Amino acid sequence: MSDSPAAPKQHYIFLDGLRGVAALMVLLLHWFEGNGKELFGSGLLAVDFFFILSGFVVALAYEQRLLAQGRSAQFIRQRFIRLYPMIAAGVLLGFTRFAMLSFQESGSPINEELVTQLVGGLAMIPFDLDGGVAGFFPLNNALWSLHFEFIAYLAFWLVLYRVNIFGLAVIALVAMLGCYVWAMMTFGPADLRSAAGDTATGYIHALSRVAFSFTLGMIIFRCRDRTTGAVLPGGRWLALLLVAALVLPRDLVPPLAVMALLALVFPYIIAAGTKVVHSGPFTGAEKMLGDLSYPLYALHVPLIWTMNGACKTLGIGFTQNPFLNGLFILPLTLAISYAAFLLYDRPLRRWLTARFTSRRTVVPAAIGDPIF
């Protein structure tokens, strides 16, 4: 086993930027939903885009090393260091918000259910599996996808990195059936969506989504040699294509269109995006979007809750107007998320990496970081 560091891997800055664009779409989706608007309904699919991108990047950054050197706890340790600081921050922020609300309503900031949600959130254990993913982590709804991201990491570390492309295709096809059922209950006729209720976003359907998307990302990586010389029309307009796919009202996206986005459009964006030249005036913005993407995703829900709650408590009435609320809350959410990256997430991860990661086994991230 070689003790030499791994050779630096290609850093796809444009894909960093796409990650940030998708995170912005999730922010807008949740903000509009919070204000009773059905805009950006297809923004739900941003999570599936994240999963595909994650499968591609994890395979690119780690597959050959695992094949050559075997499984090592270093992989799980690195992924934990990458994701957990912002997970903990999001859970604690949500806990603070609901503790303040509990104090206002009952005079006591702590109750048994809230403590259970706090412990479960920090341990990444879903609180309620009977409903949809929004109830898995009540202190920060967005954490459901990170729970499944860790499951995908474990599956990759244990077995997926050794599965040939045919085996990955079989897994993806089987999981695709579950994805289609989810698409039917989430994007299908209104009566079907109403009948499905929260079960449309239950645990098994979410597991199908990550199984399909993550393995699809690995397949894109495995086929990279075949696509390297292929003519894949692309450019920075791919970011506009991604936005167009994620801004549609849910009623305008039938289930078959959802599957086309997941199986064809998103993979094409990623494959063609690897060919975008990293130069010009957009590179700095793409890097910033990549840096912002994960903190924004991990914090935006409890941040919006907390700021709206604080405004209500302090009697700041103009935020009750949706337009003014957006002008106030959305820029603050972006600013606080980026500040959290600069002042908390990045320094803490650097310290944890230096403290707990062996320097000779560090694998440089291929797109900044897998997933977010």
Side-chain angles (χ1 to χ4, degrees):
M1 182 181 297
S2 172
D3 288 345
S4 61
K9 294 184 179 292
Q10 179 66 49
H11 188 112
Y12 297 116
I13 298 177
F14 177 69
L15 295 186
D16 276 342
L18 291 183
R19 200 156 34 92
V21 169
L24 288 173
M25 294 301 102
V26 174
L27 168 65
L28 291 174
L29 165 71
H30 289 153
W31 183 84
F32 275 105
E33 282 185 342
N35 284 277
K37 307 295 183 181
E38 283 293 328
L39 298 175
F40 295 89
S42 63
L44 291 170
L45 303 179
V47 172
D48 303 89
F49 178 80
F50 288 140
F51 286 148
I52 297 172
L53 185 58
S54 182
F56 173 80
V57 182
V58 168
L60 176 62
Y62 294 98
E63 188 170 272
Q64 291 303 313
R65 176 176 289 274
L66 290 177
L67 286 171
Q69 301 181 357
R71 286 196 302 268
S72 167
Q74 192 80 328
F75 169 78
I76 297 298
R77 190 179 301 120
Q78 287 175 323
R79 293 299 89 217
F80 182 85
I81 289 173
R82 173 63 187 106
L83 295 185
Y84 195 76
M86 294 310 301
I87 289 173
V91 170
L92 292 173
L93 183 59
F95 174 80
T96 301
R97 166 60 187 144
F98 283 104
M100 292 171 60
L101 189 62
S102 175
F103 180 77
Q104 291 172 354
E105 293 177 349
S106 65
S108 173
I110 304 296
N111 57 63
E112 183 178 348
E113 182 177 79
L114 195 57
V115 171
T116 301
Q117 293 173 357
L118 173 64
V119 174
L122 292 175
M124 293 299 290
I125 300 173
F127 174 74
D128 179 12
L129 295 180
D130 293 332
V133 294
F136 288 0
F137 298 96
L139 299 183
N140 187 356
N141 299 155
L143 294 190
W144 74 267
S145 64
L146 299 179
H147 168 83
F148 287 99
E149 181 75 7
F150 274 117
I151 291 177
Y153 288 160
L154 286 172
F156 176 83
W157 180 64
L158 290 172
V159 66
L160 287 181
Y161 76 92
R162 295 182 296 173
V163 176
N164 61 31
I165 195 167
F166 176 78
L168 291 176
V170 170
I171 294 172
L173 286 173
V174 172
M176 189 177 183
L177 297 176
C179 282
Y180 184 68
V181 173
W182 167 77
M184 284 292 296
M185 294 192 295
T186 306
F187 291 87
D191 56 344
L192 180 59
R193 285 186 296 187
S194 178
D198 287 341
T199 61
T201 56
Y203 198 90
I204 298 301
H205 296 112
L207 192 60
S208 297
R209 291 170 67 186
V210 69
F212 172 65
S213 299
F214 192 89
T215 53
L216 184 57
M218 291 185 64
I219 291 170
I220 297 170
F221 163 73
R222 297 281 182 88
C223 295
R224 70 197 185 285
D225 292 336
R226 301 175 188 176
T227 60
T228 298
V231 178
L232 294 177
R236 288 188 165 86
W237 61 265
L238 291 167
L240 298 178
L241 178 60
L242 179 61
V243 170
L246 299 178
V247 299
L248 299 172
R250 193 177 305 185
D251 291 338
L252 298 182
V253 190
L256 286 178
V258 170
M259 299 312 297
L261 288 171
L262 299 187
L264 299 174
V265 176
F266 290 168
Y268 181 85
I269 289 173
I270 292 171
T274 63
K275 299 176 179 293
V276 174
V277 177
H278 303 150
S279 63
F282 296 102
T283 301
E286 289 162 357
K287 184 181 183 305
M288 178 176 289
L289 282 170
D291 292 339
L292 173 66
S293 60
Y294 178 53
L296 177 62
Y297 184 85
L299 296 180
H300 75 279
V301 171
L303 276 176
I304 291 174
W305 287 345
T306 301
M307 287 189 288
N308 277 325
C311 288
K312 184 177 180 180
T313 300
L314 297 174
I316 304 177
F318 74 86
T319 58
Q320 302 304 307
N321 178 289
F323 177 75
L324 296 177
N325 181 285
L327 290 179
F328 180 70
I329 296 296
L330 293 179
L332 268 181
T333 301
L334 294 173
I336 294 172
S337 297
Y338 194 65
F341 164 74
L342 293 175
L343 303 176
Y344 164 71
D345 184 45
R346 185 170 61 181
L348 180 57
R349 284 191 287 112
R350 286 175 174 172
W351 181 83
L352 290 172
T353 298
R355 177 67 177 81
F356 296 106
T357 303
S358 171
R359 292 184 62 185
R360 66 186 178 93
T361 56
V362 170
V363 180
I367 302 181
D369 299 284
I371 192 170
F372 301 115

